[in-house]
Amino acid sequence: ACKEVAEFLRALLTQTSAVSLLVTGHRRVGLNIERVIDLNGGMTQDEAIELFTHRAQKTIRNWTPDHASMRQLIDIVELTERIPLALELAAARFGRRQSLQEIRDGIDQTPLQMERPDDSATNDRHVSLRRALEWSFNLLTKPQKSGFIQLGVFTSAFSEEAVAKICKVRSARRLLEDLQEVSLVDRVEQDGPALFTMHRFTQAYAA
């Protein structure tokens, strides 16, 4: 399917120079003119607050956070690590269903249980964080799935050497490269030996 998408986009782009495409996904399309935009930490705190507020106003008309609620909202923004889907899910529960404090506590304690209130009405993978991660997980090969689950033991940054020692995989390097390619593992930018991390939501799913 990825190859078919790449061929379609290549044909589209070669037919005109007046078109630019923004394509989202968990891995590169594979075009030589492709430029990857990393969304990790891409939203500022103010942008994240604005997104939550805009979505919350669909439930509570004209709602804006006051001084008392702003601290809780900032906690929610930071606990979701400013991920748009997580903020959308949190805001969808605000109002008649949960208070800001209840949402904050839920994200902190059981983040993967966040889901849209109308979850039963759709099979869309964006109705919950768990379903979004499940969709990505199901695209992995059997060895990749096994390795990914084993990486769930790491709650902080880890090295390739640590993966080789702890995880029962044929090649730690190949596993890490494969999972980086599909955005389930991130490489820490630093001098010295390479370190890797998993987003805390991803780590919670793996564990």
Short mmCIF file of all heavy atoms in Angstrom, two decimals, residues 26 112 129-155 158 163 166-172 174-186 196-207:
data_model
loop_
_atom_site.label_atom_id
_atom_site.label_comp_id
_atom_site.label_asym_id
_atom_site.label_seq_id
_atom_site.Cartn_x
_atom_site.Cartn_y
_atom_site.Cartn_z
N HIS A 26 2.85 7.35 9.79
CA HIS A 26 3.79 6.89 10.81
C HIS A 26 5.14 6.52 10.21
O HIS A 26 6.06 6.14 10.93
CB HIS A 26 3.20 5.70 11.57
CG HIS A 26 3.18 4.42 10.80
ND1 HIS A 26 2.50 4.27 9.64
CD2 HIS A 26 3.76 3.23 11.05
CE1 HIS A 26 2.65 3.04 9.20
NE2 HIS A 26 3.43 2.39 10.03
N LEU A 112 -3.83 5.58 28.46
CA LEU A 112 -4.34 4.86 27.30
C LEU A 112 -5.84 4.63 27.36
O LEU A 112 -6.43 4.16 26.39
CB LEU A 112 -3.61 3.52 27.16
CG LEU A 112 -2.11 3.62 26.85
CD1 LEU A 112 -1.54 2.25 26.59
CD2 LEU A 112 -1.84 4.54 25.66
N LEU A 129 -6.24 6.73 22.23
CA LEU A 129 -4.79 6.55 22.09
C LEU A 129 -4.45 5.08 21.92
O LEU A 129 -3.57 4.72 21.14
CB LEU A 129 -4.08 7.11 23.33
CG LEU A 129 -4.00 8.64 23.44
CD1 LEU A 129 -3.37 9.02 24.77
CD2 LEU A 129 -3.20 9.23 22.29
N ARG A 130 -5.13 4.23 22.68
CA ARG A 130 -4.85 2.78 22.58
C ARG A 130 -5.11 2.28 21.17
O ARG A 130 -4.32 1.51 20.62
CB ARG A 130 -5.70 2.01 23.59
CG ARG A 130 -5.44 0.50 23.55
CD ARG A 130 -6.22 -0.22 24.63
NE ARG A 130 -5.75 0.16 25.95
CZ ARG A 130 -4.67 -0.36 26.53
NH1 ARG A 130 -3.93 -1.26 25.90
NH2 ARG A 130 -4.32 0.02 27.74
N ARG A 131 -6.21 2.71 20.56
CA ARG A 131 -6.53 2.22 19.22
C ARG A 131 -5.55 2.76 18.19
O ARG A 131 -5.19 2.06 17.23
CB ARG A 131 -7.96 2.59 18.84
CG ARG A 131 -8.45 1.85 17.61
CD ARG A 131 -9.92 2.07 17.35
NE ARG A 131 -10.75 1.52 18.41
CZ ARG A 131 -12.08 1.56 18.38
NH1 ARG A 131 -12.71 2.12 17.36
NH2 ARG A 131 -12.78 1.04 19.37
N ALA A 132 -5.09 4.00 18.37
CA ALA A 132 -4.11 4.56 17.45
C ALA A 132 -2.80 3.77 17.51
O ALA A 132 -2.19 3.46 16.49
CB ALA A 132 -3.86 6.04 17.78
N LEU A 133 -2.37 3.44 18.73
CA LEU A 133 -1.14 2.67 18.90
C LEU A 133 -1.34 1.23 18.41
O LEU A 133 -0.42 0.63 17.85
CB LEU A 133 -0.71 2.68 20.36
CG LEU A 133 -0.14 4.03 20.84
CD1 LEU A 133 -0.07 4.08 22.36
CD2 LEU A 133 1.23 4.28 20.24
N GLU A 134 -2.52 0.70 18.64
CA GLU A 134 -2.82 -0.66 18.19
C GLU A 134 -2.73 -0.77 16.67
O GLU A 134 -2.22 -1.75 16.13
CB GLU A 134 -4.22 -1.05 18.66
CG GLU A 134 -4.61 -2.47 18.36
CD GLU A 134 -5.98 -2.80 18.92
OE1 GLU A 134 -6.99 -2.32 18.35
OE2 GLU A 134 -6.06 -3.50 19.94
N TRP A 135 -3.20 0.27 15.98
CA TRP A 135 -3.14 0.30 14.52
C TRP A 135 -1.69 0.23 14.06
O TRP A 135 -1.34 -0.54 13.16
CB TRP A 135 -3.83 1.56 14.00
CG TRP A 135 -3.81 1.70 12.52
CD1 TRP A 135 -4.65 1.10 11.62
CD2 TRP A 135 -2.90 2.48 11.74
NE1 TRP A 135 -4.32 1.47 10.33
CE2 TRP A 135 -3.25 2.32 10.38
CE3 TRP A 135 -1.83 3.32 12.07
CZ2 TRP A 135 -2.57 2.95 9.36
CZ3 TRP A 135 -1.14 3.96 11.04
CH2 TRP A 135 -1.51 3.77 9.71
N SER A 136 -0.82 1.04 14.68
CA SER A 136 0.60 1.03 14.31
C SER A 136 1.24 -0.31 14.65
O SER A 136 2.03 -0.85 13.87
CB SER A 136 1.35 2.15 15.04
OG SER A 136 0.93 3.42 14.59
N PHE A 137 0.89 -0.86 15.82
CA PHE A 137 1.45 -2.14 16.26
C PHE A 137 1.09 -3.25 15.28
O PHE A 137 1.93 -4.10 14.96
CB PHE A 137 0.93 -2.47 17.66
CG PHE A 137 1.39 -3.79 18.20
CD1 PHE A 137 2.67 -3.95 18.70
CD2 PHE A 137 0.53 -4.88 18.22
CE1 PHE A 137 3.10 -5.18 19.20
CE2 PHE A 137 0.95 -6.11 18.71
CZ PHE A 137 2.23 -6.26 19.21
N ASN A 138 -0.13 -3.26 14.80
CA ASN A 138 -0.59 -4.33 13.91
C ASN A 138 0.08 -4.30 12.54
O ASN A 138 0.02 -5.29 11.80
CB ASN A 138 -2.11 -4.26 13.74
CG ASN A 138 -2.85 -4.73 14.98
OD1 ASN A 138 -2.32 -5.49 15.78
ND2 ASN A 138 -4.08 -4.26 15.14
N LEU A 139 0.74 -3.19 12.20
CA LEU A 139 1.46 -3.10 10.94
C LEU A 139 2.87 -3.70 11.03
O LEU A 139 3.54 -3.87 10.01
CB LEU A 139 1.56 -1.64 10.48
CG LEU A 139 0.24 -0.96 10.11
CD1 LEU A 139 0.49 0.51 9.78
CD2 LEU A 139 -0.44 -1.66 8.95
N LEU A 140 3.31 -4.01 12.24
CA LEU A 140 4.65 -4.57 12.44
C LEU A 140 4.69 -6.04 12.06
O LEU A 140 3.67 -6.74 12.07
CB LEU A 140 5.07 -4.42 13.91
CG LEU A 140 5.14 -3.00 14.49
CD1 LEU A 140 5.50 -3.07 15.97
CD2 LEU A 140 6.13 -2.14 13.73
N THR A 141 5.90 -6.52 11.75
CA THR A 141 6.09 -7.95 11.54
C THR A 141 6.08 -8.65 12.90
O THR A 141 6.17 -8.00 13.95
CB THR A 141 7.42 -8.23 10.84
OG1 THR A 141 8.49 -7.82 11.72
CG2 THR A 141 7.53 -7.46 9.52
N LYS A 142 5.99 -9.96 12.89
CA LYS A 142 5.97 -10.71 14.15
C LYS A 142 7.23 -10.47 14.99
O LYS A 142 7.12 -10.21 16.20
CB LYS A 142 5.80 -12.21 13.86
CG LYS A 142 5.56 -13.04 15.13
CD LYS A 142 5.23 -14.48 14.76
CE LYS A 142 4.99 -15.30 16.04
NZ LYS A 142 4.65 -16.71 15.71
N PRO A 143 8.45 -10.52 14.42
CA PRO A 143 9.65 -10.23 15.21
C PRO A 143 9.66 -8.79 15.75
O PRO A 143 10.10 -8.55 16.88
CB PRO A 143 10.81 -10.45 14.23
CG PRO A 143 10.26 -11.39 13.21
CD PRO A 143 8.82 -11.00 13.06
N GLN A 144 9.18 -7.84 14.94
CA GLN A 144 9.13 -6.46 15.39
C GLN A 144 8.14 -6.30 16.56
O GLN A 144 8.41 -5.56 17.51
CB GLN A 144 8.72 -5.54 14.23
CG GLN A 144 9.79 -5.38 13.17
CD GLN A 144 9.27 -4.70 11.92
OE1 GLN A 144 8.07 -4.50 11.75
NE2 GLN A 144 10.19 -4.34 11.02
N LYS A 145 7.02 -6.98 16.47
CA LYS A 145 6.04 -6.92 17.56
C LYS A 145 6.64 -7.45 18.85
O LYS A 145 6.49 -6.86 19.92
CB LYS A 145 4.79 -7.74 17.20
CG LYS A 145 3.91 -7.10 16.14
CD LYS A 145 2.72 -8.01 15.84
CE LYS A 145 1.81 -7.39 14.77
NZ LYS A 145 0.67 -8.26 14.43
N SER A 146 7.32 -8.59 18.75
CA SER A 146 7.94 -9.19 19.93
C SER A 146 8.99 -8.26 20.53
O SER A 146 9.03 -8.05 21.75
CB SER A 146 8.60 -10.52 19.54
OG SER A 146 9.29 -11.08 20.64
N GLY A 147 9.83 -7.67 19.68
CA GLY A 147 10.85 -6.76 20.16
C GLY A 147 10.26 -5.51 20.77
O GLY A 147 10.72 -5.03 21.82
N PHE A 148 9.22 -4.97 20.15
CA PHE A 148 8.57 -3.77 20.65
C PHE A 148 8.01 -4.01 22.06
O PHE A 148 8.18 -3.19 22.96
CB PHE A 148 7.44 -3.36 19.70
CG PHE A 148 6.56 -2.26 20.23
CD1 PHE A 148 7.01 -0.96 20.26
CD2 PHE A 148 5.28 -2.54 20.68
CE1 PHE A 148 6.20 0.07 20.75
CE2 PHE A 148 4.46 -1.53 21.17
CZ PHE A 148 4.92 -0.22 21.20
N ILE A 149 7.35 -5.12 22.26
CA ILE A 149 6.78 -5.45 23.57
C ILE A 149 7.88 -5.55 24.62
O ILE A 149 7.73 -5.08 25.75
CB ILE A 149 5.97 -6.75 23.49
CG1 ILE A 149 4.70 -6.54 22.65
CG2 ILE A 149 5.60 -7.25 24.88
CD1 ILE A 149 3.94 -7.81 22.34
N GLN A 150 9.01 -6.16 24.25
CA GLN A 150 10.12 -6.29 25.20
C GLN A 150 10.72 -4.94 25.57
O GLN A 150 11.20 -4.74 26.69
CB GLN A 150 11.20 -7.20 24.61
CG GLN A 150 10.75 -8.66 24.46
CD GLN A 150 11.83 -9.52 23.84
OE1 GLN A 150 12.86 -9.80 24.47
NE2 GLN A 150 11.63 -9.93 22.59
N LEU A 151 10.66 -3.98 24.66
CA LEU A 151 11.18 -2.64 24.95
C LEU A 151 10.34 -1.92 26.01
O LEU A 151 10.77 -0.91 26.57
CB LEU A 151 11.24 -1.79 23.68
CG LEU A 151 12.25 -2.18 22.61
CD1 LEU A 151 12.19 -1.20 21.44
CD2 LEU A 151 13.66 -2.22 23.18
N GLY A 152 9.17 -2.44 26.29
CA GLY A 152 8.30 -1.84 27.30
C GLY A 152 8.90 -1.84 28.69
O GLY A 152 8.41 -1.12 29.57
N VAL A 153 9.96 -2.62 28.91
CA VAL A 153 10.59 -2.64 30.25
C VAL A 153 11.39 -1.36 30.50
O VAL A 153 11.68 -1.03 31.65
CB VAL A 153 11.53 -3.86 30.42
CG1 VAL A 153 10.75 -5.15 30.20
CG2 VAL A 153 12.72 -3.79 29.47
N PHE A 154 11.74 -0.63 29.44
CA PHE A 154 12.55 0.58 29.61
C PHE A 154 11.64 1.78 29.87
O PHE A 154 10.82 2.15 29.03
CB PHE A 154 13.39 0.84 28.35
CG PHE A 154 14.41 -0.21 28.07
CD1 PHE A 154 14.24 -1.10 27.01
CD2 PHE A 154 15.55 -0.31 28.85
CE1 PHE A 154 15.20 -2.07 26.74
CE2 PHE A 154 16.51 -1.29 28.59
CZ PHE A 154 16.33 -2.17 27.53
N THR A 155 11.80 2.39 31.03
CA THR A 155 11.01 3.56 31.39
C THR A 155 11.79 4.86 31.23
O THR A 155 11.28 5.93 31.52
CB THR A 155 10.49 3.44 32.83
OG1 THR A 155 11.62 3.28 33.71
CG2 THR A 155 9.56 2.24 32.97
N PHE A 158 17.52 4.35 26.76
CA PHE A 158 18.24 3.08 26.75
C PHE A 158 19.17 3.03 25.56
O PHE A 158 19.00 3.73 24.57
CB PHE A 158 17.27 1.90 26.73
CG PHE A 158 16.22 1.99 25.65
CD1 PHE A 158 16.47 1.47 24.38
CD2 PHE A 158 14.99 2.60 25.90
CE1 PHE A 158 15.51 1.56 23.38
CE2 PHE A 158 14.03 2.69 24.90
CZ PHE A 158 14.28 2.16 23.64
N VAL A 163 19.50 -3.07 24.96
CA VAL A 163 18.48 -3.83 24.23
C VAL A 163 19.01 -5.23 23.91
O VAL A 163 18.32 -6.23 24.06
CB VAL A 163 18.06 -3.10 22.95
CG1 VAL A 163 17.12 -3.96 22.10
CG2 VAL A 163 17.40 -1.76 23.29
N ILE A 166 19.04 -7.35 27.24
CA ILE A 166 17.78 -7.63 27.93
C ILE A 166 16.74 -8.27 27.03
O ILE A 166 16.00 -9.15 27.46
CB ILE A 166 17.23 -6.32 28.55
CG1 ILE A 166 18.18 -5.83 29.65
CG2 ILE A 166 15.82 -6.53 29.10
CD1 ILE A 166 17.79 -4.51 30.26
N CYS A 167 16.69 -7.83 25.78
CA CYS A 167 15.65 -8.31 24.88
C CYS A 167 16.13 -9.50 24.05
O CYS A 167 17.26 -9.53 23.58
CB CYS A 167 15.21 -7.19 23.94
SG CYS A 167 14.57 -5.73 24.79
N LYS A 168 15.26 -10.46 23.88
CA LYS A 168 15.57 -11.65 23.10
C LYS A 168 15.25 -11.38 21.63
O LYS A 168 14.20 -11.78 21.12
CB LYS A 168 14.79 -12.84 23.63
CG LYS A 168 15.14 -13.21 25.07
CD LYS A 168 14.30 -14.39 25.55
CE LYS A 168 14.65 -14.75 27.00
NZ LYS A 168 13.83 -15.87 27.51
N VAL A 169 16.15 -10.68 20.97
CA VAL A 169 15.97 -10.35 19.55
C VAL A 169 17.23 -10.72 18.78
O VAL A 169 18.32 -10.78 19.35
CB VAL A 169 15.68 -8.84 19.37
CG1 VAL A 169 14.35 -8.47 20.00
CG2 VAL A 169 16.79 -7.97 19.96
N ARG A 170 17.07 -10.98 17.49
CA ARG A 170 18.20 -11.39 16.66
C ARG A 170 19.20 -10.26 16.48
O ARG A 170 20.41 -10.48 16.52
CB ARG A 170 17.68 -11.87 15.31
CG ARG A 170 18.78 -12.33 14.35
CD ARG A 170 18.19 -12.95 13.11
NE ARG A 170 17.42 -14.15 13.44
CZ ARG A 170 16.77 -14.89 12.53
NH1 ARG A 170 16.81 -14.54 11.24
NH2 ARG A 170 16.09 -15.95 12.90
N SER A 171 18.69 -9.04 16.28
CA SER A 171 19.58 -7.89 16.08
C SER A 171 18.96 -6.67 16.74
O SER A 171 17.92 -6.17 16.28
CB SER A 171 19.80 -7.62 14.58
OG SER A 171 20.45 -6.38 14.39
N ALA A 172 19.59 -6.18 17.80
CA ALA A 172 19.08 -4.99 18.49
C ALA A 172 19.11 -3.78 17.57
O ALA A 172 18.18 -2.98 17.55
CB ALA A 172 19.91 -4.73 19.75
N ARG A 174 18.93 -3.66 14.25
CA ARG A 174 17.89 -3.74 13.22
C ARG A 174 16.51 -3.44 13.83
O ARG A 174 15.70 -2.73 13.21
CB ARG A 174 17.89 -5.14 12.60
CG ARG A 174 16.79 -5.38 11.58
CD ARG A 174 16.93 -4.46 10.38
NE ARG A 174 15.85 -4.65 9.44
CZ ARG A 174 15.85 -5.58 8.48
NH1 ARG A 174 16.89 -6.41 8.34
NH2 ARG A 174 14.85 -5.68 7.64
N LEU A 175 16.26 -3.94 15.02
CA LEU A 175 14.97 -3.67 15.68
C LEU A 175 14.79 -2.17 15.91
O LEU A 175 13.73 -1.61 15.60
CB LEU A 175 14.89 -4.41 17.01
CG LEU A 175 13.66 -4.08 17.88
CD1 LEU A 175 12.39 -4.57 17.21
CD2 LEU A 175 13.81 -4.68 19.28
N LEU A 176 15.81 -1.52 16.44
CA LEU A 176 15.73 -0.09 16.74
C LEU A 176 15.56 0.73 15.46
O LEU A 176 14.79 1.69 15.43
CB LEU A 176 16.95 0.36 17.52
CG LEU A 176 17.07 -0.19 18.94
CD1 LEU A 176 18.43 0.12 19.53
CD2 LEU A 176 15.96 0.35 19.82
N GLU A 177 16.26 0.33 14.40
CA GLU A 177 16.13 1.04 13.13
C GLU A 177 14.71 0.88 12.57
O GLU A 177 14.11 1.84 12.08
CB GLU A 177 17.15 0.50 12.12
CG GLU A 177 18.58 0.91 12.44
CD GLU A 177 19.59 0.28 11.50
OE1 GLU A 177 19.19 -0.65 10.73
OE2 GLU A 177 20.77 0.69 11.52
N ASP A 178 14.19 -0.34 12.66
CA ASP A 178 12.84 -0.60 12.14
C ASP A 178 11.79 0.20 12.92
O ASP A 178 10.85 0.76 12.33
CB ASP A 178 12.51 -2.09 12.23
CG ASP A 178 13.28 -2.92 11.22
OD1 ASP A 178 13.86 -2.33 10.28
OD2 ASP A 178 13.31 -4.16 11.38
N LEU A 179 11.91 0.24 14.23
CA LEU A 179 10.92 0.95 15.05
C LEU A 179 11.07 2.46 14.95
O LEU A 179 10.09 3.19 15.09
CB LEU A 179 11.03 0.49 16.51
CG LEU A 179 10.67 -0.99 16.76
CD1 LEU A 179 10.77 -1.33 18.24
CD2 LEU A 179 9.28 -1.32 16.23
N GLN A 180 12.29 2.93 14.70
CA GLN A 180 12.48 4.35 14.41
C GLN A 180 11.75 4.73 13.12
O GLN A 180 11.15 5.80 13.02
CB GLN A 180 13.96 4.68 14.26
CG GLN A 180 14.70 4.98 15.56
CD GLN A 180 16.11 5.44 15.27
OE1 GLN A 180 17.04 4.64 15.16
NE2 GLN A 180 16.28 6.74 15.13
N GLU A 181 11.85 3.85 12.14
CA GLU A 181 11.27 4.12 10.83
C GLU A 181 9.75 4.33 10.91
O GLU A 181 9.18 5.11 10.15
CB GLU A 181 11.58 2.95 9.89
CG GLU A 181 11.01 3.08 8.49
CD GLU A 181 11.64 4.21 7.68
OE1 GLU A 181 12.76 4.63 8.01
OE2 GLU A 181 10.99 4.67 6.72
N VAL A 182 9.10 3.66 11.87
CA VAL A 182 7.64 3.78 12.01
C VAL A 182 7.27 4.62 13.23
O VAL A 182 6.15 4.56 13.73
CB VAL A 182 6.97 2.39 12.08
CG1 VAL A 182 7.14 1.67 10.76
CG2 VAL A 182 7.53 1.56 13.23
N SER A 183 8.22 5.39 13.73
CA SER A 183 7.97 6.39 14.79
C SER A 183 7.53 5.80 16.12
O SER A 183 6.83 6.46 16.90
CB SER A 183 6.92 7.41 14.31
OG SER A 183 7.29 8.00 13.10
N LEU A 184 7.95 4.58 16.42
CA LEU A 184 7.65 3.99 17.72
C LEU A 184 8.83 4.09 18.68
O LEU A 184 8.68 3.84 19.88
CB LEU A 184 7.24 2.52 17.55
CG LEU A 184 5.88 2.31 16.87
CD1 LEU A 184 5.63 0.82 16.62
CD2 LEU A 184 4.75 2.92 17.68
N VAL A 185 9.99 4.44 18.16
CA VAL A 185 11.19 4.68 18.96
C VAL A 185 11.86 5.94 18.44
O VAL A 185 11.88 6.18 17.23
CB VAL A 185 12.17 3.48 18.88
CG1 VAL A 185 13.55 3.86 19.39
CG2 VAL A 185 11.64 2.30 19.68
N ASP A 186 12.38 6.75 19.34
CA ASP A 186 13.10 7.98 18.96
C ASP A 186 14.56 7.88 19.38
O ASP A 186 14.87 7.33 20.44
CB ASP A 186 12.47 9.21 19.63
CG ASP A 186 11.07 9.48 19.13
OD1 ASP A 186 10.86 9.41 17.90
OD2 ASP A 186 10.19 9.75 19.96
N PHE A 196 18.20 5.82 23.02
CA PHE A 196 16.88 5.79 22.41
C PHE A 196 15.81 5.94 23.49
O PHE A 196 16.04 5.62 24.65
CB PHE A 196 16.68 4.47 21.66
CG PHE A 196 17.71 4.23 20.59
CD1 PHE A 196 18.92 3.62 20.91
CD2 PHE A 196 17.48 4.62 19.28
CE1 PHE A 196 19.89 3.40 19.95
CE2 PHE A 196 18.45 4.40 18.30
CZ PHE A 196 19.65 3.79 18.64
N THR A 197 14.67 6.43 23.09
CA THR A 197 13.55 6.57 24.02
C THR A 197 12.26 6.15 23.33
O THR A 197 12.18 6.10 22.09
CB THR A 197 13.38 8.03 24.51
OG1 THR A 197 13.08 8.87 23.39
CG2 THR A 197 14.62 8.53 25.22
N MET A 198 11.25 5.87 24.16
CA MET A 198 9.89 5.67 23.67
C MET A 198 9.03 6.72 24.35
O MET A 198 9.22 7.04 25.52
CB MET A 198 9.38 4.27 24.05
CG MET A 198 10.20 3.14 23.45
SD MET A 198 9.66 1.51 24.06
CE MET A 198 8.15 1.29 23.13
N HIS A 199 8.09 7.27 23.61
CA HIS A 199 7.13 8.19 24.21
C HIS A 199 6.42 7.46 25.34
O HIS A 199 6.20 6.25 25.28
CB HIS A 199 6.12 8.65 23.16
CG HIS A 199 5.24 9.76 23.64
ND1 HIS A 199 4.15 9.55 24.46
CD2 HIS A 199 5.29 11.08 23.41
CE1 HIS A 199 3.57 10.70 24.72
NE2 HIS A 199 4.23 11.65 24.09
N ARG A 200 6.06 8.17 26.40
CA ARG A 200 5.50 7.48 27.56
C ARG A 200 4.19 6.77 27.23
O ARG A 200 3.88 5.73 27.81
CB ARG A 200 5.30 8.44 28.73
CG ARG A 200 4.13 9.38 28.68
CD ARG A 200 4.14 10.29 29.92
NE ARG A 200 2.90 11.02 30.06
CZ ARG A 200 1.87 10.61 30.79
NH1 ARG A 200 1.92 9.46 31.43
NH2 ARG A 200 0.78 11.34 30.87
N PHE A 201 3.41 7.29 26.27
CA PHE A 201 2.20 6.58 25.86
C PHE A 201 2.56 5.29 25.12
O PHE A 201 1.93 4.25 25.31
CB PHE A 201 1.34 7.46 24.96
CG PHE A 201 0.80 8.70 25.64
CD1 PHE A 201 0.42 9.80 24.89
CD2 PHE A 201 0.69 8.77 27.02
CE1 PHE A 201 -0.08 10.94 25.50
CE2 PHE A 201 0.20 9.91 27.64
CZ PHE A 201 -0.19 11.00 26.89
N THR A 202 3.58 5.37 24.27
CA THR A 202 4.02 4.19 23.53
C THR A 202 4.59 3.15 24.48
O THR A 202 4.33 1.95 24.34
CB THR A 202 5.11 4.60 22.50
OG1 THR A 202 4.60 5.66 21.69
CG2 THR A 202 5.46 3.43 21.61
N GLN A 203 5.38 3.60 25.45
CA GLN A 203 5.95 2.68 26.44
C GLN A 203 4.86 2.01 27.25
O GLN A 203 4.92 0.81 27.55
CB GLN A 203 6.91 3.45 27.36
CG GLN A 203 7.73 2.57 28.31
CD GLN A 203 6.96 2.26 29.60
OE1 GLN A 203 6.11 3.04 30.04
NE2 GLN A 203 7.28 1.13 30.21
N ALA A 204 3.82 2.78 27.61
CA ALA A 204 2.70 2.21 28.39
C ALA A 204 1.99 1.14 27.57
O ALA A 204 1.57 0.10 28.11
CB ALA A 204 1.74 3.32 28.79
N TYR A 205 1.84 1.35 26.26
CA TYR A 205 1.19 0.35 25.41
C TYR A 205 2.06 -0.90 25.31
O TYR A 205 1.55 -2.04 25.40
CB TYR A 205 0.94 0.92 24.02
CG TYR A 205 0.25 -0.04 23.09
CD1 TYR A 205 -1.15 -0.15 23.11
CD2 TYR A 205 0.97 -0.83 22.22
CE1 TYR A 205 -1.79 -1.04 22.27
CE2 TYR A 205 0.33 -1.72 21.37
CZ TYR A 205 -1.05 -1.83 21.39
OH TYR A 205 -1.69 -2.72 20.56
N ALA A 206 3.37 -0.73 25.14
CA ALA A 206 4.27 -1.87 25.02
C ALA A 206 4.31 -2.68 26.30
O ALA A 206 4.41 -3.91 26.27
CB ALA A 206 5.68 -1.38 24.66
N ALA A 207 4.24 -1.98 27.43
CA ALA A 207 4.33 -2.68 28.72
C ALA A 207 3.05 -3.41 29.06
O ALA A 207 3.04 -4.30 29.90
CB ALA A 207 4.65 -1.67 29.82
#
